[in-house]
Amino acid sequence: MSLSFNPAWLYLLLASVMEVCWNYSLKYTSVAKIKAIDWSHFFANPTGLLTLIPAICYVAFGVGNVFFFSKALNVIPASTAFAIWMGMALVGIKIVDTLVLKEAFQWVHVFYIGCILVGIIGLKRTA
């Protein structure tokens, strides 16, 4: 078995990372706070920019996600790419929830994430 580097798989990994970041930027974007910004004093008060950062990240990560996923689709079959992309994003979101946001840890989650990872590895090996 020879190992060869295919950039499409890197693009798919990057798209998954962008999906995870996009998910959390959406979580922290508050439309109500954006509507409440006093635009006439926007540059004088740093809280306006801090309010906009999650929305700016939402757009940037969304564009990055679509860009890298579309690059991966040029080489990887769509069904395989979608399954792996979504599986890696789900695993990434669960890891962030557990390690960063301190969601309750359950061993059964490790089992199911392992099932997802087995599926991802199987799809990659047969693609």
Side-chain angles (χ1 to χ4, degrees):
M1 178 170 106
S2 82
L3 295 174
S4 63
F5 177 73
N6 184 344
W9 294 103
L10 177 61
Y11 295 144
L12 197 57
L13 174 66
L14 290 171
S16 296
V17 170
M18 294 287 168
E19 178 73 13
V20 172
C21 295
W22 177 84
N23 184 56
Y24 287 106
S25 62
L26 178 62
K27 177 181 175 113
Y28 292 108
T29 298
S30 171
V31 175
K33 288 181 181 178
I34 292 171
K35 286 182 179 179
I37 291 175
D38 180 10
W39 294 100
S40 62
H41 297 97
F42 179 76
F43 293 106
N45 189 352
T47 58
L49 181 60
L50 292 176
T51 301
L52 282 181
I53 287 176
I56 293 167
C57 291
Y58 170 80
V59 172
F61 289 130
V63 169
N65 181 14
V66 170
F67 173 78
F68 288 119
F69 190 65
S70 66
K71 296 283 282 182
L73 285 176
N74 290 331
V75 176
I76 303 169
S79 60
T80 302
F82 183 78
I84 292 173
W85 166 71
M86 188 52 59
M88 287 191 301
L90 288 170
V91 170
I93 289 168
K94 184 61 183 168
I95 289 170
V96 171
D97 278 348
T98 302
L99 297 179
V100 177
L101 301 178
K102 305 298 184 198
E103 183 181 296
F105 175 81
Q106 296 181 11
W107 281 105
V108 71
H109 293 171
V110 174
F111 170 74
Y112 290 123
I113 287 173
C115 290
I116 292 171
L117 291 174
V118 166
I120 288 170
I121 292 167
L123 284 169
K124 181 175 182 327
R125 288 185 50 95
T126 60

